[in-house]
Amino acid sequence: MKNNKPFSIKRRLTLSVIAFSFVLIATSLLLNIYSAKHEVEEVYDARLGQSAKLLLISIAFEPSDKTFAKHQKVFESWMRDLKKVSPGDDDTPTSYGHPYEESMLFQFYHDGKLLWSSNPSVGAFDHDKKYSGYGNVVKNGVKWRYFQLPMPDKGAASSKYPEYVIVAEKQSIRQEMVDEMTMSNAIPQLLIIPCLVILIILLINKNFKPVKELKLAIAQRSANKLDHIYVANQTVELSPLVEALNELLSQLDLAWQREKRFTRMAAHELKTPLTILRLNAENAINSQSQDELASDLNNILKGIDRTDRLLHQLLTLAKVESLTEIDKQQVDISATIRRIVADLAPLALRNNQEIEFEGDKNVVDGDETLLSILFSNLIDNAIRYSGQNSHIGVHVVESVKWIEVHVFDNGEDISDEAREKLFDNFYRANSEKGDGAGLGMSITRDIANLHKATVSLMPRNEEKNTFVVRFSK
């Protein structure tokens, strides 16, 4: 059998939630990066296309070297002024524009040759002169993103290549923008992570407080302290567990009380018969004649029989009291009682008693062994205490709702005091007429309760003492 090591639910839950939160944050960052890159590409590509159109419209006249040379001087003057007033970083705008302009490039081509460029140091791009649209190129180790736009219907018949413009931008600008947008989103989320971890730990610790409280409550229980567990912060998940534990503690407490009660009863009840046995044994040793010896030995045998009966009843009581439920099967109580009557008939004949039984096949759900003890106790008590020449009867009566077993005799009336205490442990109403321990009726009551039945002594009627055992259908 595999021996799995115990694990902490609290620790596993904490790590799982934190790991899941990390995954969600990482996924969010990746989506933000993808979204930022997509948006930057769209915006910057749109700016390239718009700039190319404006540039091409502005130079729609017949170009000349003199005109472009003039434009080149003006543009270079602007860029020099921009560099002069720039504070040294590329993030601060100036009165002459923004330093980022150095990362942009405008070129005009005529007959396939570069006629004008905003940054002559870059030189002409390697490209398809008849191409129209977006492209990527590496120039002097720098990656550029460009848009090429030809003049529509301009010089198509007179020249091999149409006039066109190229507006380009360094890819690093776009990547920088993506990085800045990503960091602006990532930094708050990264700052959230430790706060989230602390919050998760605090929340889990708080919500696990009832579990800790339950653990402490269980640790305080012992064999001498089996009272119910109470948790101040009840939860839907723990309430069934607490109820089950309390039910178990109740059963353990009952078992412990039964054990202590049985020990006390056994010690108390065995003390007297053992003392009597010792006295009879001493008398037998010191007897002066055969008659005294025989009498003492006879008393010892009677004491042994009484002790044996007491031990049998104590063990039966302990067994019955330890049961909370029984394995039920269909039992023909008429056949069971008929067998008991046959077994006890010699005892009744020895007392010159008549014993009768009436009943057809009557079936109840129960334990046959326990039911045999129940009916045997009732019939045995009737034989032992009803007196010589008495009449004893056992009748099984069945109705629509129940099955009743009547055990009656015409012995002496049972006193009111005896009626009240008859089912108490160790109560003996007529100790001079029997050698019982006063447990038979208590055992009978407990067996009846296990079968959801009742046993009661009816008021005396027709000069009869009648016990009735009623089983519901």
Side-chain angles (χ1 to χ4, degrees):
M1 183 177 179
K2 188 178 180 180
N3 185 18
N4 293 323
K5 293 183 178 180
F7 64 90
S8 170
I9 297 177
K10 178 180 173 181
R11 183 170 178 271
R12 180 173 289 188
L13 179 62
T14 303
L15 294 177
S16 298
V17 173
I18 292 174
F20 184 68
S21 301
F22 271 115
V23 171
L24 289 180
I25 292 174
T27 303
S28 175
L29 287 175
L30 291 175
L31 291 175
N32 286 337
I33 293 172
Y34 174 80
S35 176
K37 186 175 182 180
H38 180 71
E39 292 300 322
V40 167
E41 292 288 343
E42 286 186 339
V43 172
Y44 278 55
D45 280 353
R47 188 178 66 172
L48 288 179
Q50 191 73 23
S51 298
K53 293 179 180 66
L54 291 174
L55 178 62
L56 200 58
I57 291 174
S58 66
I59 58 176
F61 54 85
E62 185 67 27
S64 65
D65 293 341
K66 188 176 181 179
T67 303
F68 280 108
K70 182 180 179 181
H71 290 170
Q72 187 74 33
K73 283 185 177 183
V74 173
F75 194 85
E76 289 178 355
S77 174
W78 284 339
M79 295 305 294
R80 284 194 300 269
D81 292 337
L82 176 61
K83 289 181 179 180
K84 288 179 182 180
V85 299
S86 177
D89 57 67
D90 57 358
D91 291 332
T92 305
T94 71
S95 57
Y96 290 97
H98 198 282
Y100 267 12
E101 291 181 26
E102 294 184 356
S103 299
M104 297 186 66
L105 179 67
F106 299 93
Q107 294 179 339
F108 180 75
Y109 290 82
H110 180 72
D111 288 335
K113 296 180 179 180
L114 177 61
L115 189 63
W116 176 84
S117 174
S118 62
N119 189 348
S121 62
V122 176
F125 282 3
D126 296 329
H127 63 284
D128 185 356
K129 298 176 176 54
K130 295 182 179 181
Y131 176 73
S132 176
Y134 292 96
N136 297 295
V137 67
V138 178
K139 189 71 174 176
N140 300 328
V142 179
K143 293 181 179 179
W144 295 82
R145 172 75 170 172
Y146 70 87
F147 180 72
Q148 181 175 327
L149 182 67
M151 178 71 75
D153 301 326
K154 179 69 175 176
S158 59
S159 63
K160 186 177 180 180
Y161 300 107
E163 296 175 350
Y164 60 91
V165 295
I166 289 180
V167 180
E169 187 175 48
K170 291 180 180 179
Q171 284 282 16
S172 59
I173 297 298
R174 299 190 178 202
Q175 187 60 45
E176 183 178 349
M177 182 62 67
V178 173
D179 293 342
E180 289 182 357
M181 291 177 66
T182 301
M183 289 302 297
S184 65
N185 288 320
I187 290 175
Q189 295 190 45
L190 292 174
L191 292 176
I192 287 175
I193 291 176
C195 299
L196 184 62
V197 170
I198 294 172
L199 181 61
I200 289 171
I201 293 174
L202 291 176
L203 287 176
I204 290 179
N205 284 336
K206 181 179 179 181
N207 286 285
F208 266 78
K209 187 177 179 180
V211 178
K212 184 177 180 181
E213 186 179 351
L214 177 60
K215 176 185 175 182
L216 292 176
I218 294 174
Q220 294 171 357
R221 297 305 182 270
S222 65
N224 296 317
K225 181 177 170 58
L226 295 172
D227 51 315
H228 280 193
I229 294 172
Y230 296 98
V231 179
N233 300 304
Q234 287 284 357
T235 65
V236 175
E237 294 77 12
L238 286 183
S239 292
L241 177 60
V242 172
E243 292 175 3
L245 285 173
N246 285 334
E247 178 65 23
L248 177 60
L249 288 174
S250 296
Q251 294 180 12
L252 288 174
D253 186 50
L254 288 175
W256 180 234
Q257 294 300 330
R258 283 196 301 266
E259 182 178 345
K260 291 193 292 186
R261 186 169 61 251
F262 175 79
T263 303
R264 289 194 302 268
M265 288 189 302
H268 178 270
E269 292 301 317
L270 287 173
K271 182 178 180 180
T272 300
L274 289 175
T275 301
I276 295 173
L277 280 173
R278 181 180 180 83
L279 290 174
N280 288 325
E282 290 176 351
N283 290 335
I285 293 173
N286 298 322
S287 60
Q288 301 297 323
S289 65
Q290 288 293 330
D291 292 337
E292 289 180 3
L293 178 61
S295 176
D296 292 333
L297 292 175
N298 187 54
N299 289 333
I300 290 174
L301 289 174
K302 289 181 179 179
I304 292 173
D305 289 340
R306 186 176 185 278
T307 304
D308 178 69
R309 178 175 172 81
L310 173 61
L311 288 173
H312 178 74
Q313 288 188 327
L314 283 172
L315 293 173
T316 302
L317 177 64
K319 176 183 177 181
V320 172
E321 284 189 340
S322 66
L323 295 174
T324 56
E325 58 183 27
I326 55 176
D327 295 329
K328 293 184 178 180
Q329 56 186 359
Q330 288 192 335
V331 179
D332 184 355
I333 57 175
S334 294
T336 300
I337 295 172
R338 189 177 291 109
R339 185 178 65 252
I340 294 170
V341 169
D343 292 339
L344 295 177
L347 181 59
L349 293 176
R350 191 169 62 187
N351 295 329
N352 296 320
Q353 296 167 329
E354 294 181 0
I355 183 168
E356 63 164 314
F357 170 74
E358 289 184 7
D360 297 326
K361 184 176 182 179
N362 306 98
V363 178
V364 299
D365 290 333
D367 186 288
E368 185 174 6
T369 301
L370 294 178
L371 290 175
S372 298
I373 295 172
L374 185 155
F375 297 127
S376 179
N377 284 345
L378 290 176
I379 299 171
D380 183 70
N381 278 358
I383 294 173
R384 289 177 183 274
Y385 299 109
S386 62
Q388 296 284 334
N389 303 312
S390 61
H391 179 78
I392 301 165
V394 184
H395 293 174
V396 181
V397 181
E398 185 171 2
S399 67
V400 177
K401 296 183 179 180
W402 58 73
I403 297 175
E404 289 183 343
V405 179
H406 295 220
V407 180
F408 58 87
D409 63 73
N410 59 355
E412 294 181 4
D413 189 11
I414 300 174
S415 65
D416 293 338
E417 179 186 0
R419 287 178 177 272
E420 292 179 1
K421 300 180 180 181
L422 194 60
F423 293 99
D424 293 347
N425 287 336
F426 300 106
Y427 177 73
R428 299 175 64 195
N430 298 299
S431 58
E432 72 281 356
K433 292 185 177 181
D435 58 355
L439 293 173
M441 298 309 298
S442 174
I443 293 171
T444 298
R445 176 202 58 202
D446 291 342
I447 294 175
N449 291 338
L450 286 172
H451 288 80
K452 303 296 187 292
T454 60
V455 56
S456 57
L457 174 60
M458 306 301 292
R460 189 172 177 85
N461 185 26
E462 297 179 359
E463 300 300 321
K464 293 179 181 179
N465 301 312
T466 305
F467 288 87
V468 177
V469 183
R470 174 177 289 185
F471 298 90
S472 299
K473 287 187 175 180

